[in-house]
Amino acid sequence: MTTDNPTELLLALAGQAHDIDDTDRLRAMLREGHTAWCEGLGKVCHDVTTECQNLTDDAIRQRCADVDEMWEAGMRRSEAVSRLAYAVWQESPAAIAYSELADRASRLGVTLVDEVFE
């Protein structure tokens, strides 16, 4: 499937995965989804970092609290922003769709790494 939008791709892959039992096809979809997941996370990290550049530390603390991600004592500003970005990403439809895809694949014994289950 081709699209420049990671969210569209991940939603489509998750939807298709429900009806697929072919483990080779599912592994290919999981690889494609993982690439889209990484692209989506990168975009969210960029967007959140840009948004936070002009915010005060207190404003960033509040943004973190809004998504249940605390700026812990001793944490650098950049760490707090990175954790904020990851928390925002994890709540996105794209990240949720990837989790569904990965869950479906897992139920059929499909992973991105060649693991042997005994």
Side-chain angles (χ1 to χ4, degrees), residues 41-112:
L41 175 59
K43 180 175 179 353
V44 168
C45 285
H46 176 268
D47 292 349
V48 169
T49 299
T50 300
E51 171 192 335
C52 289
Q53 284 178 346
N54 297 319
L55 296 179
T56 65
D57 288 355
D58 287 336
I60 294 172
R61 268 190 194 82
Q62 184 57 53
R63 282 277 285 128
C64 288
D66 290 345
V67 295
D68 295 325
E69 185 62 52
M70 296 301 122
W71 185 341
E72 297 172 4
M75 187 182 292
R76 293 186 322 257
R77 178 183 171 105
S78 61
E79 290 174 295
V81 171
S82 291
R83 288 175 61 171
L84 171 62
Y86 188 75
V88 167
W89 169 248
Q90 285 296 94
E91 295 299 320
S92 73
I96 293 167
Y98 180 74
S99 292
E100 290 178 15
L101 171 61
D103 288 347
R104 171 67 177 152
S106 177
R107 285 192 297 277
L108 296 176
V110 174
T111 64
L112 288 177

